[in-house]
Amino acid sequence: MAPAPPGANLLALRGHNAALVLGLLRTAGEEGASRLELAERTGLTPQAVSKITARLRAGGLVAEAGRRASTGGKPRTVLRLVPGARHAVGVHLDRDEIICVLADLTGRPVAVRRAPLDFGAGAGPVLATAAREVAALRQAAGGPQVLGAGVACPGPLDHATGVLRQVTGAPRWDGFPLRDALAARLGLPVVLDKDTNAAALGLGRTPEEDGGSFAYLHLGTGLGAGLVLDGGLYRGPHTGAGEFGHQVVQLDGPRCGCGRRGCVEALCLAAVARGDLPAAARVLGVAAANLVELLDIDRVLLGGRTVLAHPEVFRDGVARVLADHAALRGRPGAASGGGPGAAAAIPVAPARGGSRAVADGAAELVLKGLFR
């Protein structure tokens, strides 16, 4: 268990301190943690931790799970998170499909539903489909307690207000308050974010990505990015970060749906449409290299249906461009050999979760409010 941010022994921060404790128990997993360990890692007094864990046990969120040998004194009681005590709904509104998951407190999906969707048709049909699918998901799982719904869809959008902006190819959505409209239809609190941000948030919880900086590149019916910098999801001051697909890399290139020419998205999708997947991977790699140069990230993760259909082609193609880029950044004379003077190539890998990565991350939008 890694140390948590310090807690505070103030009544006004009861919710914050409980979230610290829950977060540590979530990270501890099956191994659990004793009250003394929780006190040491939060900076709270043992008395404060005992009061917090008593409340969490009364709420069914935490349970005692045996005893652990102590280095001195009596054995310590181990506490564990109860995964099925609450659940979160994750909804991925893609341009032609809806994916819904029901996740327990560990983020593990316990139920999944998929259905066709025409996102470009506008609010009425999309809201009706989302309400129907979420209701069916909850009913099939036996109606467990649900904290809320995280909803992920194409951007750009305003995460703070839950309002969609000028979504490429879907003009009917501009200015629509999707978060509030869905909350009214679902009867649940709703958190709205871009599909790429949701996926990046979920991926950031994995041990190999925890605390690092990476980019999640999503190539499907469009192209976008989710950015995790120093362990935190980066949305930008106006929540518009990650419009990766609309960086111009060819001034006289094909017209993009956003109105400009030579966007990475337009070039990638054109290559995919003509069946030239290696070319699409190279273009994606060039754009990824620009991102690495700008943000100095540790890793590039790839997702989206186009990547998932040909994972090796895109992984290898993007990795090759990044390796060439790293070699050029080395000291003179070291570029070709990858020797001591060459810069290290940034690792590239398919994102975990496959086609469910965005929906899983959407559920995490809700769960992160319960944990610190």
Side-chain angles (χ1 to χ4, degrees):
M1 289 171 55
N9 294 305
L10 299 173
L11 184 63
L13 295 181
R14 280 177 57 177
H16 171 76
N17 290 337
L20 286 175
V21 171
L22 279 172
L24 284 171
L25 289 174
R26 189 190 200 199
T27 302
E30 288 296 313
E31 183 180 346
S34 70
R35 291 173 179 84
L36 183 57
E37 289 169 331
L38 293 170
E40 290 171 348
R41 286 167 172 80
T42 60
L44 297 167
T45 66
Q47 293 83 358
V49 169
S50 291
K51 290 179 180 179
I52 290 169
T53 55
R55 291 198 302 271
L56 295 175
R57 288 180 60 204
L61 295 167
V62 169
E64 292 187 350
R67 292 179 180 273
R68 180 182 300 157
S70 174
T71 55
K74 64 180 181 180
R76 299 174 184 177
T77 301
V78 174
L79 299 171
R80 291 191 189 128
L81 186 70
V82 179
R86 304 288 190 279
H87 292 78
V89 172
V91 179
H92 178 193
L93 300 176
D94 205 348
R95 293 183 184 270
D96 58 2
E97 182 183 37
I98 181 173
I99 304 175
C100 302
V101 303
L102 186 71
D104 66 17
L105 292 180
T106 68
R108 183 181 67 89
V110 297
V112 182
R113 283 185 66 88
R114 299 170 184 262
L117 180 76
D118 181 3
F119 189 75
V126 170
L127 291 173
T129 299
R132 181 187 71 240
E133 292 302 310
V134 170
L137 180 80
R138 297 175 67 185
Q139 183 177 14
Q145 272 190 280
V146 172
L147 297 167
V151 178
C153 68
L157 56 81
D158 188 328
H159 169 71
T161 63
V163 175
L164 269 63
R165 297 307 180 197
Q166 296 172 331
V167 180
T168 303
R172 297 186 185 188
W173 286 105
D174 189 23
F176 185 80
L178 180 57
R179 181 192 65 194
D180 292 346
L182 273 172
R185 291 295 292 265
L186 301 179
L188 292 170
V190 170
V191 184
L192 178 72
D193 211 336
K194 291 195 298 187
D195 44 14
T196 50
N197 284 347
L201 180 69
L203 293 167
R205 283 202 62 245
T206 60
E208 59 268 31
E209 311 304 342
D210 187 26
S213 297
F214 68 89
Y216 166 73
L217 308 183
H218 185 96
L219 178 60
T221 53
L223 174 62
L227 305 174
V228 171
L229 305 180
D230 295 329
L233 179 65
Y234 182 74
R235 295 187 176 94
H238 308 292
T239 73
E243 290 301 312
F244 171 80
H246 300 297
Q247 55 175 302
V248 175
V249 294
Q250 184 180 336
L251 294 178
D252 59 348
R255 181 78 66 180
C256 180
C258 73
R260 287 173 287 191
R261 287 189 176 275
C263 289
V264 175
E265 178 175 296
L267 293 168
C268 268
L269 294 181
V272 171
R274 65 176 183 266
D276 192 350
L277 296 178
R282 284 195 302 274
V283 172
L284 187 58
V286 168
N290 290 342
L291 201 58
V292 169
E293 187 78 11
L294 182 66
L295 298 176
D296 192 24
I297 54 178
D298 305 319
R299 190 171 175 87
V300 171
L301 302 178
L302 305 177
R305 68 179 63 177
T306 304
V307 169
L308 293 175
H310 311 279
E312 294 84 6
V313 174
F314 282 94
R315 180 199 62 207
D316 295 346
V318 172
R320 192 173 299 113
V321 175
L322 290 180
D324 291 344
H325 174 75
L328 290 171
R329 300 253 317 147
R331 291 198 300 268
S336 60
I346 300 298
V348 180
R352 295 177 61 177
S355 63
R356 222 186 45 236
V358 174
D360 288 350
E364 190 64 27
L365 288 169
V366 174
L367 294 173
K368 76 180 183 66
L370 192 64
F371 301 100
R372 290 291 185 276

